[in-house]
Amino acid sequence: MEIDFKCYAGDFNFLVLKSNTVLLNYEHVKKKVEEKNINFVNKIIRNNMKKRCNMNIMSMDIILIFVFAVICAGLVKGTCPSTCSCVDDSSGSRINCYSKYLGRIPTLPKDTYNLDLRYNNITEIDVQLCKEMPQLHTIYISYNLIIEIPEITFADCEQLYRIDLQYNKIRSIESNTFVNMTNLYPLYLHYNEISVIEPFTFVDLPNLHYL
């Protein structure tokens, strides 16, 4: 790879190659696109590339089209959080965020099927978690600081087979918490602070064998 010069354009770092290809700090741009702040990204890249990289408008347009195409392609699948380790296989993504001092569940690849979040400081599970990860099969989220699980947290989690919620601070289980989870087999709730389980909490779970 033959580098012509480096160009530092604000928050975006560019390497301009002899082939006129431009490489940039993907994560900075991706974050702004995820926030749907595309106009901001467009403006920053244009202004800084023009002032500091001495590029003409046509070159910038080509580069911007390429940048957004690459980023959008990545967002379809999602990317691995920098603090976690991820392995792709034929079933999807296995995500290991074991003991990473996380205070919340990070944005994860959409094809995540196995998720390990044990030993963190997570206080809540995102409502409708499986809308973002429809292939989720197993989630380990024990040894965290979760106090409650809202009713529709596991809505759309028809594929979910295993949930490990041991060693949290859950105080009650609402009646529709595990609704429509026909594949759920083991559900681990040991060593919480549960004092209330509402009626019909565990109905319509035909494959539930371990609680």
Side-chain angles (χ1 to χ4, degrees):
M1 182 181 296
E2 191 175 3
I3 298 175
D4 191 10
F5 63 92
K6 290 184 180 180
C7 176
Y8 300 96
D11 287 336
F12 309 104
N13 299 332
F14 298 87
L15 293 178
V16 182
L17 311 183
K18 289 290 187 183
S19 60
N20 291 324
T21 304
V22 176
L23 306 179
L24 69 164
N25 189 322
Y26 176 87
E27 288 301 323
H28 282 292
V29 184
K30 173 180 165 293
K31 182 178 180 183
K32 291 301 179 184
V33 175
E34 284 179 332
E35 294 170 355
K36 296 182 174 62
N37 203 345
I38 294 175
N39 288 335
F40 171 84
V41 176
N42 193 347
K43 182 179 179 181
I44 292 297
I45 293 179
R46 281 177 175 274
N47 288 347
N48 281 286
M49 288 176 71
K50 184 176 181 180
K51 291 177 182 177
R52 304 187 188 188
C53 302
N54 194 28
M55 290 188 170
N56 60 42
I57 297 298
M58 182 174 292
S59 296
M60 286 191 289
D61 284 341
I62 293 171
I63 290 164
L64 284 169
I65 291 169
F66 173 76
V67 167
F68 288 123
V70 170
I71 290 171
C72 291
L75 290 176
V76 170
K77 180 180 183 294
T79 55
C80 181
S82 58
T83 54
C84 305
S85 62
C86 305
V87 176
D88 291 335
D89 58 35
S90 59
S91 298
S93 297
R94 295 175 60 93
I95 313 297
N96 186 349
C97 300
Y98 182 97
S99 190
K100 298 297 183 181
Y101 305 101
L102 299 175
R104 57 183 294 276
I105 299 175
T107 301
L108 298 164
K110 296 184 184 303
D111 66 346
T112 297
Y113 75 95
N114 189 294
L115 177 58
D116 190 345
L117 293 163
R118 291 174 293 171
Y119 290 96
N120 282 289
N121 300 311
I122 296 168
T123 57
E124 62 181 3
I125 303 176
D126 298 341
V127 172
Q128 295 183 311
L129 181 74
C130 292
K131 274 201 168 181
E132 297 299 322
M133 296 178 287
Q135 296 172 223
L136 190 62
H137 176 273
T138 298
I139 180 169
Y140 300 99
I141 195 167
S142 54
Y143 297 93
N144 278 278
L145 303 172
I146 298 166
I147 295 174
E148 65 175 353
I149 309 173
E151 276 192 358
I152 58 172
T153 296
F154 294 110
D156 304 309
C157 287
E158 290 89 353
Q159 302 300 318
L160 200 51
Y161 172 83
R162 181 191 306 270
I163 302 176
D164 185 352
L165 284 161
Q166 298 178 87
Y167 292 96
N168 277 282
K169 298 182 179 298
I170 300 168
R171 296 171 183 169
S172 64
I173 306 290
E174 298 184 34
S175 58
N176 291 316
T177 301
F178 305 107
V179 66
N180 294 329
M181 299 188 67
T182 55
N183 285 328
L184 187 62
Y185 185 85
L187 171 60
Y188 301 99
L189 293 167
H190 307 70
Y191 303 104
N192 276 282
E193 300 173 8
I194 299 171
S195 59
V196 176
I197 298 177
E198 292 192 0
F200 309 111
T201 297
F202 303 113
V203 299
D204 297 326
L205 301 173
N207 287 308
L208 183 63
H209 281 70
Y210 191 92
L211 178 62

